[in-house]
Amino acid sequence: MPGALQRPAVVSHVSDLIGRTPLLELATTETGSRLLLKLEMFNPTGTAKIRMARQMVLDAEERGELRPGGRIIESTSGNTGLGLAVVAAERGYTFTAVVDHHACTDKLRAMKALGTELVYVDEGGESEELATAAREELAEEMARGKDNTIFTEQHNNPSNGVGYFPVAHELHEALDGHIDVLIGAVGTGGALCGTTRELRKLVPDFATVGVEPKGSIAFGGPAHDYYQSGTGTPEGAEIGALVDFDLIDEGVKVGDVEAFATCRAVARTGLLIGGSAGGVVYEALTRLGTLPPGSTMVALINDGGEKYLDTVFDDAWMNARNLLDPDAEREIDEILTKLRRNR
């Protein structure tokens, strides 16, 4: 993929800007090991998920399941919906997003601005409870038996994983194959497992670490509510078919407090990242110093922080949910300060 990290000067569609996202060196140890962030917020809509949104639509068209004037339906907590909203607008489809009030308000507003029809499973309610299973059931029911209508079903759609194959090629080209650890959030499994599957064809000897919120069940219980958005598998939801445990060498859990404290600490370096990305960076920082000298760890940063100014970066919101922990933030600040001196 020559020139994979160079965007074209002029494009015809917003989706032409997908991919070729940059790598940022966040931290380096005294032994030369470094943590690189794959900044997927540089995609349109500020998230990695537009990659797989486009792939799901293109593959549905190729199979003849989606034709001009058709309708796309998806259950989403926001970022997949944003990607599908862009692709639907470009290609002339109607897009219906089945959502709940757990989703970030700015994501819902953005989808609506892009022409999306929003259908709430908890219409009229203000509960912040994640309702993944209910959303999936409603989306499937809305699409059943309807002509020229597809439920893209991101959690079980193989095109989800295929949409991230280019990430592997971008990493291989940028780093000349020097990757020792790939770490990322596990929600649908598409981003981490899709990237890993393709990257293993190019770089056979690296470890993959999956991160989910405490309270999620993909790597075992106990199950409980969590506030990290767009990641994990809540109680009552099925683990997605794209979560391939054979591709994940180690699965770990990070709590909301640690994830959000990391977001806030990283922001003071000049970079805004989303809540689930905070969990990934927290885990990456805790293990960076244990790696052999000269190692390269790549963290998939699937979401920017601009959508979370009213939540993760808002003291009142954090305090109301007992998530604000200045001591945890100071600890991460100190780790970052020390590691960034080595760059």
Side-chain angles (χ1 to χ4, degrees):
M1 297 176 63
L5 296 180
Q6 297 180 359
R7 293 186 183 274
V10 179
V11 299
S12 302
H13 302 91
V14 172
S15 61
D16 294 334
L17 296 169
I18 295 172
R20 299 170 294 275
T21 54
L23 284 161
L24 173 70
E25 184 179 278
L26 180 68
T28 306
T29 67
E30 292 180 351
T31 61
S33 293
R34 56 182 182 161
L35 171 59
L36 307 181
L37 308 184
K38 179 66 166 162
L39 298 180
E40 288 291 280
M41 72 276 278
F42 282 85
N43 284 302
T45 71
T47 170
K49 290 193 174 182
I50 194 170
R51 291 183 185 261
M52 62 92 155
R54 177 177 62 176
Q55 193 68 45
M56 290 193 300
V57 172
L58 292 178
D59 288 351
E61 290 176 343
E62 185 174 341
R63 292 190 300 268
E65 296 172 0
L66 192 59
R67 304 179 300 281
R71 184 186 189 192
I72 300 166
I73 300 175
E74 181 56 86
S75 159
T76 176
S77 60
N79 282 334
T80 300
L82 285 169
L84 286 170
V86 170
V87 176
E90 286 185 342
R91 305 179 79 81
Y93 300 122
T94 299
F95 173 50
T96 299
V98 180
V99 299
D100 54 40
H101 284 94
H102 177 88
C104 172
T105 301
D106 282 349
K107 294 179 186 178
L108 299 174
R109 290 172 177 163
M111 280 191 281
K112 192 170 183 179
L114 289 164
T116 301
E117 175 194 21
L118 300 180
V119 175
Y120 288 85
V121 292
D122 51 355
E123 189 62 62
E126 295 299 327
S127 170
E128 292 182 338
E129 184 176 340
L130 186 59
T132 303
R135 291 198 325 250
E136 296 282 318
E137 290 172 7
L138 179 56
E140 183 177 10
E141 179 183 337
M142 291 175 66
R144 188 180 298 118
K146 302 290 178 58
D147 181 55
N148 201 15
T149 298
I150 62 165
F151 169 30
T152 40
E153 198 177 1
Q154 60 174 312
H155 286 85
N156 296 303
N157 191 329
S159 300
N160 179 341
V162 174
Y164 294 104
F165 285 2
V167 178
H169 290 273
E170 291 170 26
L171 291 174
H172 180 255
E173 179 178 338
L175 301 174
D176 197 25
H178 185 198
I179 303 170
D180 299 289
V181 180
L182 179 69
I183 184 169
V186 176
T188 68
L192 185 62
C193 294
T195 301
T196 295
R197 185 178 300 280
E198 188 70 4
L199 191 57
R200 292 226 165 127
K201 300 175 184 177
L202 308 167
V203 184
D205 190 18
F206 69 94
T208 293
V209 179
V211 181
E212 69 172 349
K214 288 182 179 178
S216 174
I217 62 170
F219 301 133
H224 57 74
D225 291 343
Y226 55 86
Y227 287 99
Q228 293 172 63
S229 177
T231 187
T233 306
E235 188 175 21
E238 292 185 8
I239 299 172
L242 299 167
V243 180
D244 189 337
F245 295 102
D246 289 337
L247 294 173
I248 301 173
D249 297 290
E250 185 179 357
V252 299
K253 295 175 180 286
V254 175
D256 290 335
V257 170
E258 292 79 12
F260 296 166
T262 303
C263 292
R264 294 162 68 97
V266 170
R268 290 187 279 274
T269 73
L271 178 69
L272 290 173
I273 62 175
S276 63
V280 171
V281 174
Y282 176 83
E283 182 63 30
L285 288 172
T286 62
R287 63 176 60 213
L288 183 63
T290 69
L291 298 179
S295 296
T296 296
M297 177 186 290
V298 175
L300 300 178
I301 305 302
N302 290 338
D303 196 12
E306 292 81 359
K307 305 182 186 81
Y308 307 96
L309 298 178
D310 292 333
T311 54
V312 175
F313 298 102
D314 182 80
D315 287 0
W317 187 91
M318 292 279 287
N319 264 321
R321 292 154 183 81
N322 297 315
L323 296 171
L324 193 63
D325 190 335
D327 290 337
E329 289 185 40
R330 278 193 293 272
E331 182 179 339
I332 298 162
D333 276 330
E334 291 171 2
I335 293 171
L336 282 170
T337 299
K338 178 181 178 181
L339 292 174
R340 288 172 67 79
R341 288 196 196 108
N342 300 315
R343 294 184 307 158

